[in-house]
Amino acid sequence: MTSLYDFSQAISKLNKEKKFTETLKYFKDGKNEFTPEKIGLNKYIVYEMLSALIETNHYDVIFNFIEQHKVVLEPKNFSYLLKKFKDKPSVNWAVVNKFCDLVSADSLDTECRTIEVERKGEKKPMELASSKEDWFAFKTKALFETQHYQECFDLSKVALESFEKFHYSNDVWFARRIALSKKHLGNSADALNELLLILRRKKEWFIQNEVAQIYKENEDNEKAFKFAISAINNFGDLEYKVGLLVLIAELLALKDEKELSFKHYSLSKLLRQQQEWNVPNSVSLALSQFSFEQIAIRKLPDLKRELKKYWSSFNPQQTVPKQNLTQRQTGKIDRILHNDEKGADGFIKFDGNKSVYFRINTTEEIIKKIAIGLEVEFKILPISDDKKEKAVQLKTK
């Protein structure tokens, strides 16, 4: 008779060889030699079996396995299992949401491990998020993706209050989920203001896209177009911007620029076809309303080049702002929004009761001294494009 230890070792060996289907068969053939309780109490078998079930997309079986074997998940292994869901090509957020409910966030570790990573040929230490922070990141994302907006809003607020320090810009992503949940709950005005604040810290194309969507819903098409163009010009693979291309097409149609609108719809369709993704009926229907000849997929590279040239025509001239045109100001750090491995930002009070936003990188010397009440000298970078004025060249007085 096989011992429970040998049984667990055999399962572990198959998983290491990535023979996950064989793992499941081996378990099925041998599990009757042990009571369900014994299997459920063996943390090694539990971890390996859940790993194999996640890898083979047997999501329903995960919860059956846990129930049948009266499994109580070990908090130490929970974060590792949770990350396995994210490694899948397509994440099933409903399953992630249910999986997160198997443990209490309060039972999870708050310790942050440090690992060594290589960047530009140099090894540097990198601190990882704790299991508890990972849980909040996954759970709030799962709630949002499954359209549980009120729960997402409430839990994201709890998350922001639960940690003094965040990793992987999680504070930004929690704030974004709060803003977007507000939008879905009917409060677009607050959502817009909060997303604009987030853009100051994290200028990502998809946040610009979300801002553009809200402006369009509010019928402020000029601002919607401005942010949509900023988003399309921003860093990010064009294939993932197919929805943004539709938004630009819709805005161009409202401006009566029919040919450009048609070309943006066409690019969205052709990119989807190239990736072998489904083309939404709404895109096909929109294209059928135009009298222009349909663009063949072989002309995709030419269409890309043409539209990239069009988008770049909206970029401001690449000149360095003349920061020395403004005199140096003096003031005090009045508020700090963030101070972490990414840098620091906040507001400086100066000239009576005026306030200006600042952002400094970790490489700047002043970051070691940054604190509320610190007296600083700075210059103000004037308003340009979609950016508000900002304090730059900070120095201590």
Side-chain angles (χ1 to χ4, degrees):
M1 182 177 171
T2 308
S3 71
L4 193 62
Y5 174 78
D6 290 338
F7 189 57
S8 71
Q9 288 298 297
I11 288 172
S12 177
K13 183 174 182 294
L14 287 169
N15 270 5
K16 280 178 183 173
E17 294 169 358
K18 300 191 182 299
K19 297 176 180 177
F20 302 112
T21 302
E22 289 182 38
T23 297
L24 300 182
K25 185 178 184 307
Y26 180 83
F27 176 79
K28 185 180 178 183
D29 293 342
K31 67 176 182 177
N32 291 332
E33 293 188 29
F34 314 98
T35 64
E37 289 77 16
K38 275 194 173 181
I39 289 172
L41 288 170
N42 188 299
K43 61 184 180 182
Y44 303 106
I45 293 178
V46 167
Y47 176 79
E48 297 295 350
M49 281 304 298
L50 291 177
S51 295
L53 289 167
I54 294 169
E55 294 290 351
T56 53
N57 300 326
H58 285 85
Y59 296 136
D60 289 340
V61 184
I62 289 171
F63 303 105
N64 291 337
F65 173 84
I66 288 169
E67 188 179 339
Q68 287 170 10
H69 298 88
K70 297 181 173 57
V71 171
V72 177
L73 285 178
E74 191 179 59
K76 265 191 176 179
N77 288 334
F78 185 78
S79 189
Y80 294 102
L81 289 169
L82 199 51
K83 287 174 182 175
K84 288 183 182 293
F85 287 104
K86 199 175 181 183
D87 292 338
K88 307 296 289 178
S90 178
V91 182
N92 187 320
W93 289 107
V95 173
V96 172
N97 189 33
K98 191 175 177 182
F99 195 78
C100 284
D101 289 339
L102 296 172
V103 300
S104 161
D106 291 334
S107 71
L108 296 173
D109 201 346
T110 56
E111 183 185 350
C112 300
R113 292 190 305 114
T114 300
I115 61 169
E116 257 193 358
V117 294
E118 192 170 317
R119 287 176 183 162
K120 298 179 180 178
E122 190 179 340
K123 288 186 177 179
K124 293 185 177 180
M126 184 179 86
E127 191 174 86
L128 303 177
S130 66
S131 294
K132 187 173 182 178
E133 188 181 343
D134 279 336
W135 184 90
F136 273 103
F138 277 88
K139 179 65 177 176
T140 54
K141 170 80 169 172
L143 286 169
F144 184 81
E145 295 295 334
T146 53
Q147 300 180 18
H148 292 84
Y149 300 121
Q150 187 62 56
E151 288 178 69
C152 179
F153 173 83
D154 294 337
L155 193 64
S156 297
K157 288 194 78 174
V158 172
L160 284 176
E161 294 163 3
S162 297
F163 305 95
E164 290 184 7
K165 183 179 180 183
F166 294 88
H167 302 78
Y168 330 131
S169 300
N170 273 334
D171 52 337
V172 173
W173 306 131
F174 292 136
R176 175 176 174 252
R177 281 171 206 142
I178 287 171
L180 292 178
S181 293
K182 280 186 177 181
K183 176 192 168 186
H184 287 286
L185 292 167
N187 192 344
S188 287
D190 276 3
L192 178 60
N193 289 333
E194 289 179 26
L195 287 170
L196 288 170
L197 279 174
I198 292 167
L199 269 179
R200 286 180 168 183
R201 176 159 165 75
K202 201 80 176 171
K203 196 174 179 182
E204 300 282 1
W205 74 264
F206 48 86
I207 301 176
Q208 291 167 322
N209 179 35
E210 286 151 0
V211 168
Q213 294 276 7
I214 295 176
Y215 274 126
K216 182 176 180 289
E217 288 166 16
N218 294 343
E219 297 183 356
D220 192 339
N221 296 329
E222 189 178 331
K223 283 186 180 175
F225 185 75
K226 178 182 173 184
F227 275 92
I229 289 294
S230 294
I232 204 73
N233 279 323
N234 201 350
F235 179 80
D237 294 334
L238 193 57
E239 289 76 17
Y240 296 108
K241 297 182 180 182
V242 287
L244 173 59
L245 289 167
V246 169
L247 173 62
I248 295 173
E250 291 170 347
L251 291 165
L252 286 165
L254 291 169
K255 293 169 75 171
D256 207 29
E257 296 189 39
K258 292 180 181 177
E259 188 174 0
L260 275 169
S261 175
F262 167 75
K263 286 178 178 177
H264 281 78
Y265 276 122
S266 298
L267 182 55
S268 179
K269 174 190 171 183
L270 295 175
L271 286 169
R272 292 175 199 266
Q273 289 178 334
Q274 186 187 52
Q275 298 297 319
E276 298 182 351
W277 297 337
N278 289 333
V279 177
N281 291 334
S282 56
V283 173
S284 300
L285 180 63
L287 281 167
S288 70
Q289 307 300 309
F290 294 95
S291 58
F292 304 108
E293 183 182 345
Q294 296 296 306
I295 301 171
I297 197 160
R298 60 185 169 80
K299 293 188 176 178
L300 176 58
D302 295 333
L303 183 60
K304 270 192 201 176
R305 273 193 295 273
E306 180 186 345
L307 291 185
K308 280 181 178 177
K309 188 176 179 182
Y310 168 71
W311 304 327
S312 66
S313 70
F314 292 92
N315 279 335
Q317 293 298 314
Q318 299 299 311
T319 54
V320 178
K322 296 180 180 179
Q323 299 174 11
N324 57 357
L325 293 179
T326 53
Q327 292 183 338
R328 291 193 74 79
Q329 306 278 350
T330 59
K332 288 184 180 180
I333 304 292
D334 181 52
R335 188 177 166 205
I336 297 172
L337 298 175
H338 306 91
N339 190 357
D340 52 34
E341 72 274 10
K342 300 285 186 183
D345 69 336
F347 290 90
I348 299 169
K349 191 167 276 189
F350 71 105
D351 193 15
N353 208 29
K354 292 181 183 176
S355 184
V356 66
Y357 176 79
F358 75 88
R359 168 126 187 96
I360 52 177
N361 298 320
T362 52
T363 53
E364 296 181 58
E365 189 66 28
I366 194 172
I367 200 163
K368 298 173 185 175
K369 302 174 183 176
I370 207 73
I372 291 172
L374 179 70
E375 290 193 16
V376 291
E377 290 185 354
F378 58 95
K379 289 185 178 181
I380 295 178
L381 191 64
I383 297 170
S384 65
D385 191 20
D386 59 341
K387 300 174 186 175
K388 296 188 177 182
E389 65 179 17
K390 183 170 84 169
V392 294
Q393 299 180 11
L394 271 69
K395 292 181 181 176
T396 51
K397 257 190 94 179

